[in-house]
């Protein structure tokens, strides 16, 4: 690894999940980092050492390297110190399913003409965005600016580790100094074949291909989830156990065990957005991506199947009390974007049920998004007097639940395990009814 004094300073535009984790990661590698965001309140909080998101290990890393991290609402200070400006702004889906690139274009407009600066795109953008931005550079008299695509592959809940121990680093460029500089920046994380001390593989390619790698990767993983959820639904009709089926499938190296976990659908900031964006990108190009249409449909229906399971056991849900355990789209995050709990709580209330919920981390955000839901201070508080409880997010603390105690607190006896996470035998031993996914 290069000595820390040899690490060049970098800029990060956007201080969300990707931006903050990337900034902390670069600081850990020894870089001075200038973080820019238009949200003055967020910047002030970060200056005070407050981290606006929950991500394991992030707060500790930001505190450890507070001397290397500079937070500002102005682009000027970053431009004075850095050549590489990593763009990590949001690209949420529009109503049409396209990625909203307005924040990206705002950055493009704000960058002044320069022969020694480069935009490095971390934000997930459609393939072809880089070509469009480079064309805009030329039209705006900014032809000297360079552009590199360097998509992120960070998983919420393990994002810090994913940054510092990547399985691959993708760099898309036109073969100029900017691409070389990005590769050098990541070299300590790459494998020995690339002159580094880590295990990451370097994929250096053209810009359009780098952009497509990110979308295709997430679309494939989402497809794998929807596939095993369809298998789970068939298992319920045939008497097979989807966990055994998935175990047998996963031992085939061509398939692999990862993302063969059936449940109540995927959510979060990446999979739903990226699947829709790739489907829309294909459609805009005149190609109908039929497989992704099915992936999206299966995922939406899967979230609603829990309601059917509750009705199967309880009949009408009018007046019933349902407890939801876990609200974030996955454990170890407070992210509620596209969370299954949002659909589930809305459907239950529409069917006349009263919903009580508990999440170890995400309650603050959930309160803004789940009107009418009652929030409990603990899992046991949520299930008290409930006719049924639904495990929505597989937080570790739920694996340690005392199901005898849960049974004593509930008015009913139904446990719907939306992630096949609970110990089924322990649930049954507590004289509770267990309903899993595909079992």
């Amino acid at each position: 690894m290069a000595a820390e004094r040899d690490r060049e300073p970098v800029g990060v535009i956007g201080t969300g999940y990707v931006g903050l984790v990337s900034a902390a990661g670069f600081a850990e590698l020894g870089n001075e980092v200038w973080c820019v965001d238009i949200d003055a309140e967020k910047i002030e909080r970060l200056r005070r050492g407050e981290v606006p998101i929950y991500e394991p290990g992030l707060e500790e890393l930001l505190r450890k390297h507070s001397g290397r991290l500079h937070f500002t609402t102005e682009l000027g200070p970053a431009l004075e110190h850095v050549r590489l400006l990593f763009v990590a702004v949001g690209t949420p889906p529009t109503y049409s399913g396209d990625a909203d690139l307005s924040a990206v274009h705002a950055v493009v407009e704000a960058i002044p003409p320069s022969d020694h600066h480069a935009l490095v795109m971390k934000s997930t953008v459609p393939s072809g965005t880089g070509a469009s931005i480079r064309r805009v550079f030329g039209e705006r008299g900014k032809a000297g600016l360079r552009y590199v695509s360097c998509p992120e592959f960070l998983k919420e809940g393990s994002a810090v580790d994913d940054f510092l121990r990547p399985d691959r680093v993708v760099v898309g460029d036109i073969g100029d100094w900017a691409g070389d500089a990005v590769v050098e920046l990541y070299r300590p994380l790459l494998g020995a074949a690339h002159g580094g001390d880590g295990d990451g593989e370097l994929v250096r390619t053209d810009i359009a291909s780098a952009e497509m790698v990110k979308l295709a990767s997430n679309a494939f993983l989402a497809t794998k989830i929807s596939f095993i959820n369809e298998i789970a639904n068939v298992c319920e009709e045939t008497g097979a156990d989807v966990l055994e089926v998935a175990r047998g499938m996963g031992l085939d190296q061509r398939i692999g065990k990862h993302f063969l976990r059936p449940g109540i659908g995927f959510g979060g900031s990446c999979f739903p957005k990226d699947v829709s964006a790739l489907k829309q990108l294909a459609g805009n190009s005149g190609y109908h991506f039929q497989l992704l249409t099915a992936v999206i449909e299966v995922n939406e229906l899967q979230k609603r199947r829990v309601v059917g399971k509750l009705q199967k056991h309880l009949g009408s849900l009018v007046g019933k009390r349902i407890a939801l355990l876990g609200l974030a789209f996955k454990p170890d995050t407070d992210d509620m974007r596209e969370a299954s709990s949002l659909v589930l709580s809305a459907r239950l209330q529409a069917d006349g049920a009263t919903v009580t919920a508990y999440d170890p981390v995400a309650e603050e955000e959930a309160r803004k998004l789940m009107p009418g839901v009652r929030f409990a201070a603990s899992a046991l508080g949520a299930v008290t007097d409930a006719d049924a409880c639904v495990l929505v997010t597989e937080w570790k603390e739920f694996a340690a639940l005392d199901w005898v105690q849960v049974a004593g607190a509930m008015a009913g006896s139904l446990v719907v395990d939306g992630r096949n996470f609970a110990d089924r035998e322990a649930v049954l031993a507590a004289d509770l009814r267990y309903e899993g996914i595909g079992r």
Side-chain angles (χ1 to χ4, degrees):
M1 182 185 297
E4 290 184 354
R5 65 178 177 274
D6 296 330
R7 303 283 298 174
E8 75 167 287
V10 297
V12 176
I13 303 176
T15 56
Y17 278 95
V18 174
L20 273 184
V21 171
S22 298
F26 284 132
E28 175 74 0
L29 292 176
N31 301 86
E32 292 276 327
V33 186
W34 271 259
C35 303
V36 184
D37 200 295
I38 61 173
D39 188 333
E41 181 182 353
K42 182 191 289 188
I43 289 296
E44 188 56 39
R45 289 181 63 188
L46 288 165
R47 286 173 175 167
R48 294 196 302 264
E50 300 175 15
V51 182
I53 57 174
Y54 179 82
E55 180 64 37
L58 179 59
E59 184 174 358
E60 292 80 1
L61 212 55
L62 292 173
R63 188 183 304 117
K64 176 182 176 182
H65 298 298
S66 59
R68 290 179 181 156
L69 293 158
H70 313 276
F71 298 100
T72 177
T73 58
E74 301 295 330
L75 192 57
L79 292 171
E80 291 176 11
H81 293 91
V82 311
R83 294 190 302 166
L84 302 176
L85 292 157
F86 284 81
V87 180
V89 297
T91 55
T94 63
Y95 288 114
S96 68
D98 294 289
D100 181 354
L101 300 180
S102 58
V104 170
H105 289 306
V107 174
V108 171
E109 292 295 329
I111 298 293
S114 170
D115 291 328
H116 60 275
H117 286 101
L119 288 188
V120 185
M121 190 58 62
K122 276 288 178 194
S123 300
T124 302
V125 296
S127 186
T129 300
S132 175
I133 289 176
R134 293 182 65 229
R135 184 173 60 253
V136 170
F137 284 164
E139 294 170 350
R140 301 289 197 276
K142 304 177 182 180
L145 287 169
R146 294 292 176 255
Y147 183 92
V148 179
S149 174
C150 185
E152 56 85 14
F153 300 96
L154 307 178
K155 302 184 295 293
E156 291 184 35
S158 62
V160 171
D161 190 65
D162 290 340
F163 182 94
L164 296 173
R165 298 170 185 82
D167 47 18
R168 81 279 210 195
V169 173
V170 178
V171 177
D173 69 305
I174 61 171
D176 57 16
W177 69 262
D180 293 341
V182 173
V183 171
E184 191 60 35
L185 199 63
Y186 279 94
R187 195 172 302 283
L189 308 179
L190 301 175
H194 306 294
D197 302 319
D199 297 317
E201 285 288 334
L202 173 64
V203 179
R204 190 162 184 182
T205 184
D206 61 275
I207 293 171
S209 296
E211 293 166 339
M212 185 61 78
V213 167
K214 174 59 186 294
L215 292 176
S217 295
N218 280 351
F220 179 79
L221 295 176
T223 299
K224 205 170 179 182
I225 294 171
S226 282
F227 178 82
I228 198 62
N229 280 336
E230 286 279 74
I231 294 297
N233 297 339
V234 176
C235 284
E236 291 182 2
E237 301 299 323
T238 61
D241 186 332
V242 72
L243 297 188
E244 293 299 300
V245 174
R247 184 164 69 95
M249 290 174 60
L251 293 173
D252 187 327
Q253 293 183 1
R254 298 168 301 174
I255 299 173
K257 65 181 180 179
H258 299 294
F259 287 84
L260 288 181
R261 291 287 305 273
I264 54 178
F266 57 79
S269 63
C270 290
F271 284 6
K273 173 175 72 72
D274 292 352
V275 171
S276 294
L278 181 53
K279 175 178 176 290
Q280 193 66 27
L281 176 65
N284 293 343
S285 302
Y287 180 74
H288 178 46
F289 208 142
Q290 299 181 66
L291 179 60
L292 291 188
T293 299
V295 168
I296 295 167
E297 181 181 0
V298 168
N299 192 57
E300 290 306 308
L301 292 174
Q302 197 71 12
K303 296 176 182 180
R304 291 163 171 77
R305 284 182 64 85
V306 172
V307 177
K309 290 177 179 291
L310 291 168
Q311 292 169 333
K312 180 178 75 172
H313 290 275
L314 303 179
S316 171
L317 298 182
V318 174
K320 296 295 192 302
R321 295 172 60 90
I322 311 298
L324 302 182
L325 299 185
L327 302 173
F329 88 94
K330 65 182 289 188
D332 294 321
T333 181
D334 60 353
D335 198 343
M336 288 291 297
R337 285 175 288 186
E338 300 290 337
S340 297
S341 60
L342 298 176
V343 173
L344 186 54
S345 64
R347 287 303 320 146
L348 290 171
Q349 291 183 85
D351 285 348
T354 298
V355 178
T356 304
Y358 166 72
D359 189 282
V361 171
E363 179 181 332
E364 181 179 354
E365 188 64 24
R367 283 183 177 275
K368 304 173 188 176
L369 301 171
M370 302 173 72
V373 171
R374 302 175 183 177
F375 291 89
S378 66
L380 192 62
V383 302
T384 298
D385 296 327
D387 295 293
C389 86
V390 182
L391 281 165
V392 182
T393 312
E394 59 272 39
W395 284 96
K396 289 181 180 178
E397 73 173 75
F398 299 152
L401 282 174
D402 183 334
W403 289 105
V404 173
Q405 193 176 28
V406 170
M410 289 179 63
S413 61
L414 177 62
V415 175
V416 178
D417 185 358
R419 300 294 179 185
N420 289 336
F421 177 64
D423 184 336
R424 178 170 63 173
E425 299 308 315
V427 173
L428 295 174
D431 289 329
L432 293 166
R433 290 179 290 171
Y434 178 92
E435 178 83 23
I437 305 295
R439 307 182 71 188

